[in-house]
Amino acid sequence: MRKIKILLGILLVQFTINAQQTEPIFSVSPKLPNPGDQVALNYNSENTVLKDAKDIQAVIYVNADHQWSASDLTFQETEDNHWKTSFTLPENTALISCVFKSDTLVDRGGTTTYSWLLDKEPGSYASWGILRSKIFQEESIAIVDDSAYISSEIGLMWINKEIQKFPESRNLYFYEGLKLMQDSKEGDHSNRIQNEIKHILEQDLTKLQQYKIQKSLQLLDTEKYKSFIDSVNDALLKTYPKGVLARDNEMKRLFTESDIQKKIREFEEFQSNFPKEDFKDVFTFTEDLYYDKLYRSIAYRYITENGNYSFVFDNLKDAGFYNLVDYSWHFVSIPYNNESIAVDSLNTIASKIIPELEVREKEIPKRYEGKLSILEWKQKAQEASAREYLTYAKILDELKDYEAEDHYLEKVKSFYIYENTDFNELYADYLLRQGNKEAAINFIKESLSRNNATAQMLSILKEDFLAQNGSNANFEDYVSAIKSGDSQDQFKEELIAEIINKPIEDFELESSLGGTVKLSAQKGKIVIIDMWATWCAPCKKAMPGMKMAVDKYSEDKNVQFYFLDTQEYISDYKKQTVEFIEENNYPFEILYDAKNPESGKFDDTYAKYSKAFEFSGIPQKMIIDQHGKLRWRSTGYSGSPSELADEISIIIEYLKSEK
């Protein structure tokens, strides 16, 4: 008992230490505020990681009415490293806790945190104990440093103190108390857990209390106490037929329903029987696991069986945020990447989904309520949507809707600048449209220094080089100088480390230029084989980079490129292959894979090589040396044309230099 009293004294001192120091790091004025007061929040960053920061923001987490909320704050510097702002405490505020930020630096307050307890309010002691109990890290807000976490024994002490001062809190924090007790005290606590659940069941329960009973049951051995668990669940279903457990059960049942029409009809009944507004204060594990999947399964099954998108578009405002991202990926980005739907049709779809995604940046989903502020959620939402925004920008670029395109380029700029070649090309064009050629050239140089440039960007750079120098004679040296550096040296070193030396089986395949090509007849040359197919989006995305490599060695008779078309399944694939190559002005010689005698598919060479060299998938790059040996192989495409061209060039030059 004496130990507990001492620990309690220490923890209470931690609350007041900021107020007693000569120069507190964090303080609230007045020192003893009441809910509803406008208070001054003061932060002295002198001895923190945010010392000398140019600007400081914070998120203030407020526990009021036993629920957490998170709000953004901007602090003003009143003197060196002294920052201040004001905030109006909501009614029934029991505890506040601040996290300070500047750029990527974060100050959570270390062991004592930056918290202020209003101990006259119910929930104050319990929320303070729960905030610093690590076992609730996933269930509550996780905003404190590891050093601030307390033992479950101390956490339980705070729950007990809460109940001693506010007896009515027992019905609100029974689950947390039971979990802390089980974690901190040896022995079997099953009887205590059962008795507490029985006591709570006698009350008129809120949705949150119903769910806490479900979580309390999980503290029991499910086999040993099956009868008790079943009886409690039956009681919950009988007393609350439209309550939390009933809703969870119906969600799981609907998820497994195979009849799509019945599923849609019963889902509408589900929404009527369990209105979202009635469950705004409770977010269950089942809801987290099933609800979005249930909604998505209905949408996709409806499209498959009815051949239209009406369920999706008619219910966009009811779809969860991550479902919207998924819709955009499946209905816009994938067909755009695969070139399977016309751009104007994709724009019709995207113009419905993308604006709704932007609206949702201002609406925090239930799973993040109280855990993220609106600015934190906006950042998270934009990060999740960035790929879709970029796809939409590419669509708008093709449609020449530059004003709309520019808007989405700015939205994704912080995520993709210099590192994504699709973005880089669009952004360079954007700068040129703005008449800012100097900025465009500098941007292209920086992108190129990171080896994330396209052929079009190099063309712009080459045009500028010619204008500045009157000749392109030294352009390749100029480009090499931009790329030079430790990262490029490391890139080359890692690539050379991939060199192999293996025999490779011969082939003789039909050529798009007429006649056949026999691999063994190419000895004395370095041969680059690119396995691809007309249906393979990454293969086609890689071709601008391959064209850069082909162009570089177009005058070198000892370097030969072949583009081996494999795994085709349409009857006129040769015609479509030639049309694709001509349409894009690719100076490529196509080889057509032979029919596989075992499978009947046109993948004979691919099948032999994939088995011999243990790979799967295309695009597949293979480089054979002058002696007919396989020296390098690569699967897939990184996304950077300039990097791909460099890969091919580095290996070619290495093989040329071998003695």
Side-chain angles (χ1 to χ4, degrees):
M1 185 63 182
R2 175 174 171 76
K3 178 182 177 183
I4 296 296
K5 285 181 178 178
I6 291 172
L7 287 168
L8 174 58
I10 291 171
L11 290 165
L12 287 173
V13 166
Q14 288 177 333
F15 276 117
T16 59
I17 191 168
N18 281 335
Q20 294 174 357
Q21 294 184 81
T22 304
E23 194 68 48
I25 295 176
F26 174 67
S27 64
V28 175
S29 180
K31 293 179 181 178
L32 299 175
N34 295 306
D37 286 352
Q38 184 178 70
V39 297
L41 304 177
N42 306 288
Y43 177 63
N44 175 8
S45 62
E46 179 68 30
N47 296 311
T48 75
V49 294
L50 303 188
K51 180 181 179 180
D52 298 329
K54 293 182 179 179
D55 57 79
I56 287 181
Q57 297 82 39
V59 176
I60 182 169
Y61 300 86
V62 178
N63 189 284
D65 289 320
H66 312 284
Q67 297 280 352
W68 285 103
S69 64
S71 301
D72 297 294
L73 297 174
T74 297
F75 278 69
Q76 301 296 323
E77 191 170 21
T78 57
E79 56 182 291
D80 286 350
N81 291 309
H82 287 71
W83 301 80
K84 186 175 184 177
T85 196
S86 61
F87 180 74
T88 300
L89 299 174
E91 293 298 327
N92 303 318
T93 295
L95 178 71
I96 64 171
S97 191
C98 288
V99 175
F100 296 93
K101 304 176 181 181
S102 183
D103 196 17
T104 59
L105 296 175
V106 179
D107 182 12
R108 302 179 186 277
T111 303
T112 57
T113 77
Y114 298 131
S115 300
W116 215 263
L117 185 145
L118 286 71
D119 62 357
K120 294 179 182 178
E121 293 298 316
S124 53
Y125 296 112
S127 57
W128 173 240
I130 293 167
L131 177 68
R132 304 211 303 168
S133 294
K134 199 164 190 175
I135 61 171
F136 295 118
Q137 197 173 23
E138 298 299 322
E139 300 177 59
S140 185
I141 61 173
I143 62 167
V144 301
D145 289 317
D146 284 346
S147 62
Y149 284 119
I150 54 179
S151 69
S152 291
E153 182 181 12
I154 302 302
L156 179 60
M157 179 201 72
W158 285 106
I159 297 293
N160 286 332
K161 184 169 180 62
E162 170 78 27
I163 295 171
Q164 287 168 10
K165 187 162 184 178
F166 309 105
E168 67 275 16
S169 289
R170 175 182 176 184
N171 294 335
L172 298 172
Y173 296 104
F174 63 92
Y175 162 68
E176 289 83 356
L178 292 173
K179 187 168 184 176
L180 287 165
M181 176 189 69
Q182 189 177 66
D183 189 63
S184 62
K185 295 185 178 182
E186 295 181 0
D188 184 0
H189 302 289
S190 301
N191 288 338
R192 178 72 180 87
I193 293 170
Q194 291 178 82
N195 289 334
E196 189 66 15
I197 290 173
K198 290 176 184 177
H199 167 75
I200 300 299
L201 272 175
E202 295 173 358
Q203 320 302 316
D204 185 15
L205 303 179
T206 65
K207 299 291 194 301
L208 184 57
Q209 288 171 309
Q210 293 171 39
Y211 184 48
K212 286 190 176 184
I213 283 183
Q214 291 177 233
K215 293 202 289 185
S216 297
L217 289 174
Q218 294 171 9
L219 301 175
L220 296 169
D221 185 306
T222 54
E223 292 185 8
K224 188 175 181 180
Y225 297 99
K226 183 179 183 303
S227 177
F228 176 78
I229 293 170
D230 288 346
S231 68
V232 172
N233 285 333
D234 288 343
L236 286 172
L237 292 171
K238 182 178 180 180
T239 309
Y240 307 100
K242 293 187 178 181
V244 176
L245 181 59
R247 182 174 184 260
D248 280 355
N249 288 347
E250 186 64 3
M251 247 186 281
K252 288 187 283 189
R253 187 192 70 77
L254 280 173
F255 183 74
T256 59
E257 175 58 58
S258 58
D259 185 326
I260 184 60
Q261 298 305 325
K262 184 179 179 182
K263 194 170 193 172
I264 292 173
R265 184 175 64 254
E266 293 186 348
F267 182 68
E268 290 174 352
E269 293 173 3
F270 169 83
Q271 290 177 306
S272 176
N273 291 332
F274 305 99
K276 281 185 177 181
E277 184 63 24
D278 290 355
F279 294 85
K280 61 183 177 60
D281 293 331
V282 60
F283 186 63
T284 70
F285 175 78
T286 299
E287 180 177 357
D288 191 27
L289 186 63
Y290 283 98
Y291 188 83
D292 276 1
K293 291 178 183 176
L294 168 62
Y295 200 97
R296 199 160 57 241
S297 70
I298 293 173
Y300 293 155
R301 282 284 302 281
Y302 189 91
I303 292 169
T304 302
E305 298 198 9
N306 295 281
N308 66 67
Y309 295 82
S310 61
F311 180 88
V312 171
F313 295 144
D314 291 347
N315 297 282
L316 278 179
K317 293 191 181 301
D318 291 327
F321 170 80
Y322 288 102
N323 277 348
L324 292 174
V325 175
D326 201 71
Y327 288 167
S328 182
W329 170 242
H330 283 94
F331 304 149
V332 181
S333 289
I334 289 178
Y336 178 82
N337 293 335
N338 291 339
E339 300 176 358
S340 58
I341 298 179
V343 173
D344 55 351
S345 297
L346 288 175
N347 184 49
T348 300
I349 298 171
S351 64
K352 298 179 185 296
I353 299 173
I354 298 298
E356 185 62 28
L357 268 178
E358 291 191 87
V359 169
R360 300 302 182 84
E361 292 175 10
K362 304 179 185 70
E363 300 173 4
I364 302 175
K366 196 197 294 189
R367 74 176 65 174
Y368 296 118
E369 286 179 353
K371 297 181 178 181
L372 297 179
S373 70
I374 190 65
L375 288 180
E376 289 176 322
W377 164 246
K378 186 175 182 179
Q379 173 71 13
K380 189 177 185 72
Q382 288 184 347
E383 186 174 357
S385 307
R387 177 188 62 192
E388 307 314 313
Y389 291 152
L390 180 58
T391 297
Y392 194 33
K394 289 188 279 188
I395 290 170
L396 293 167
D397 184 77
E398 290 193 37
L399 297 173
K400 295 181 169 45
D401 186 351
Y402 297 128
E403 183 178 352
E405 176 194 350
D406 296 349
H407 167 73
Y408 290 102
L409 288 178
E410 283 299 323
K411 285 183 77 73
V412 302
K413 182 178 176 181
S414 63
F415 300 105
Y416 292 135
I417 189 167
Y418 304 127
E419 303 302 331
N420 182 288
T421 50
D422 287 342
F423 172 84
N424 291 345
E425 181 171 294
L426 293 177
Y427 196 70
D429 286 345
Y430 159 75
L431 292 172
L432 290 174
R433 284 198 303 273
Q434 300 300 310
N436 202 339
K437 185 177 181 181
E438 183 179 356
I441 295 300
N442 289 334
F443 175 77
I444 291 171
K445 287 180 181 179
E446 182 61 32
S447 299
L448 187 59
S449 73
R450 306 182 190 207
N451 224 345
N452 284 312
T454 65
Q456 180 180 321
M457 294 168 71
L458 285 172
S459 178
I460 295 168
L461 192 64
K462 191 172 187 178
E463 181 182 313
D464 179 72
F465 184 85
L466 176 62
Q468 298 293 328
N469 298 277
S471 167
N472 283 327
N474 298 315
F475 181 68
E476 289 300 324
D477 292 338
Y478 173 68
V479 169
S480 296
I482 293 173
K483 292 181 181 178
S484 65
D486 293 342
S487 60
Q488 185 69 6
D489 291 341
Q490 183 179 352
F491 172 69
K492 183 176 180 179
E493 186 179 319
E494 290 173 353
L495 204 59
I496 297 301
E498 296 174 3
I499 291 287
I500 56 177
N501 194 339
K502 295 182 178 182
I504 184 169
E505 188 173 343
D506 195 12
F507 64 67
E508 185 171 2
L509 299 172
E510 179 186 350
S511 168
S512 61
L513 302 182
T516 62
V517 169
K518 192 175 178 66
L519 179 61
S520 58
Q522 308 302 313
K523 283 189 178 180
K525 297 181 180 181
I526 295 171
V527 177
I528 299 89
I529 298 173
D530 183 358
M531 293 188 184
W532 71 291
T534 55
W535 51 262
C536 172
C539 299
K540 293 190 284 186
K541 292 287 185 186
M543 286 192 167
M546 290 303 294
K547 181 180 183 299
M548 291 166 70
V550 171
D551 288 345
K552 180 174 181 177
Y553 292 96
S554 60
E555 303 298 322
D556 192 330
K557 302 302 180 184
N558 292 316
V559 177
Q560 182 66 52
F561 287 82
Y562 294 116
F563 292 80
L564 202 166
D565 186 25
T566 185
Q567 298 179 319
E568 297 286 9
Y569 54 85
I570 53 177
S571 58
D572 64 341
Y573 72 89
K574 293 181 183 178
K575 177 175 177 292
Q576 289 199 25
T577 298
V578 172
E579 288 176 352
F580 171 76
I581 295 300
E582 290 179 350
E583 181 182 328
N584 288 279
N585 296 312
Y586 291 142
F588 298 166
E589 181 174 357
I590 309 300
L591 303 182
Y592 300 108
D593 208 350
K595 181 180 285 189
N596 189 327
E598 295 182 8
S599 66
K601 298 177 181 178
F602 291 96
D603 68 350
D604 187 55
T605 307
Y606 169 84
K608 289 176 182 177
Y609 288 173
S610 63
K611 182 178 180 180
F613 304 116
E614 300 180 330
F615 66 78
S616 176
I618 54 176
Q620 190 72 218
K621 310 290 188 290
M622 308 179 79
I623 298 183
I624 294 98
D625 69 10
Q626 304 92 320
H627 309 292
K629 296 292 182 68
L630 176 64
R631 304 303 305 278
W632 183 79
R633 182 186 63 75
S634 174
T635 305
Y637 174 53
S638 69
S640 170
S642 60
E643 183 177 288
L644 174 57
D646 277 358
E647 284 181 345
I648 302 300
S649 178
I650 287 169
I651 300 300
I652 290 173
E653 295 305 317
Y654 176 84
L655 296 179
K656 282 183 174 183
S657 68
E658 278 189 326
K659 295 180 180 179

